Amino acid sequence: MASNLIILTGASRGLGAAMAEQLLLPGHVLLCISRRINDALGSKALAAGAQLEQWPRDLADPAAVAGQVERWLGTFDAARFDGATLINNAGAIGRVGPLDECSNAELSSALRVGLEAALLLSAAFLRATRDWRARRKLLNISSGLGRRAMAGNAVYCAAKAGMDHFSRAVALDEAHRGSGTRIVSLAPGVIDTDMQAQLRASGASGFPDQRQFLAMKAQGQLATPHAAAARVLAYLQRDDFGSQPVADLRD
């Protein structure tokens, strides 16, 4: 049986919770990092024979969390795992509306959670596992808004665009090293999550595309978190994972 270590951020709800549940498999060691613990995962891990750790952490303080992750990874034998994966899923949309209507604290927190945390955790993961025999993968959960600007979402668009581009750069670094580590920044499509609910509830004056999001919900165009998680994890297992460092499940 293959032994795999997976680190997943933003695992307490939505897409992250659905991925966490589907990653609870025999032989898996799963570390979930979220602001809140997902109580339902504990009993499911026991039933599945998976090893689960949950850390309640605020990724608005990413340097501290990245340091803890690096030290935790350093406790494992370099020959233990067949595979090691980091999934940077956590994100924050912040206040919906024009940039100047958001406070500096709101903008800073959203950018730290959505971009800085992913970058620092990726660096920690790569450093700590550099000498591991495991096949290493790094999956960043991006968004179409990282590739298409939308009014009222400047900080979220910036975070996801930054995630895409740092993934391209890291892919070049790893190819130059010949390390075999593969990285993808993946847009998972439109999913029925709390973030979507926040967009639909936003005022049209600060979010001109509100009507479009209301229509997608009314017309049943949103994927469930469970279905989207299954597609994301299937992509993670593809033989060509990493051949394109920026990808979209809808392509």
Side-chain angles (χ1 to χ4, degrees):
M1 181 181 297
S3 178
N4 292 282
L5 178 143
I6 307 104
I7 302 170
L8 171 65
T9 67
S12 63
R13 59 184 181 173
L15 177 63
M19 284 195 288
E21 184 174 339
Q22 294 175 37
L23 285 167
L24 293 174
L25 299 171
H28 280 195
V29 174
L30 176 62
L31 169 62
C32 293
I33 304 173
S34 305
R35 282 181 295 176
R36 292 173 293 276
I37 286 176
N38 185 335
D39 293 327
L41 285 178
S43 58
K44 292 176 180 177
L46 286 174
Q51 181 179 329
L52 172 69
E53 288 198 34
Q54 295 192 76
W55 292 2
R57 302 287 189 275
D58 187 353
L59 288 173
D61 184 14
V65 180
Q68 290 174 325
V69 167
E70 188 167 353
R71 291 189 292 273
W72 179 76
L73 288 169
T75 65
F76 293 100
D77 189 291
R80 174 174 173 179
F81 296 104
D82 299 302
T85 301
L86 169 64
I87 305 176
N88 284 309
N89 169 70
I93 200 166
R95 184 194 298 266
V96 179
L99 185 71
D100 58 320
E101 294 183 6
C102 306
S103 71
N104 290 339
E106 288 170 329
L107 295 172
S108 178
S109 178
L111 200 57
R112 283 177 176 272
V113 172
L115 179 58
E116 187 178 344
L119 196 151
L120 295 184
L121 286 169
S122 297
F125 174 79
L126 291 171
R127 277 194 298 266
T129 62
R130 179 66 60 198
D131 296 325
W132 286 21
R133 72 173 183 86
R135 298 182 304 277
R136 298 185 302 161
K137 296 180 182 179
L138 206 166
L139 174 61
N140 290 324
I141 302 299
S142 185
S143 169
L145 293 189
R147 302 154 203 183
R148 176 177 65 86
M150 179 174 287
N153 286 276
V155 69
Y156 187 76
C157 289
K160 294 306 184 182
M163 177 177 276
D164 285 350
H165 214 46
F166 100 68
S167 299
R168 293 184 181 100
V170 172
L172 293 173
D173 288 339
E174 294 304 302
H176 178 71
R177 283 173 164 164
S179 70
T181 304
R182 293 179 283 174
I183 179 170
V184 174
S185 187
L186 181 68
V190 188
I191 308 166
D192 198 1
T193 61
D194 291 346
M195 188 176 293
Q196 282 289 317
Q198 181 181 347
L199 290 170
R200 293 193 300 272
S202 301
S205 60
F207 183 45
D209 291 291
Q210 181 200 39
R211 184 175 298 178
Q212 173 189 343
F213 284 79
L214 289 169
M216 285 191 292
K217 174 67 171 178
Q219 296 166 12
Q221 296 179 10
L222 305 180
T224 66
H226 181 84
R231 293 188 66 201
V232 168
L233 296 179
Y235 191 96
L236 183 63
Q237 298 304 318
R238 283 172 45 161
D239 291 338
D240 64 346
F241 180 88
S243 61
Q244 296 294 329
V246 175
D248 194 312
L249 275 181
R250 294 164 291 190
D251 292 341

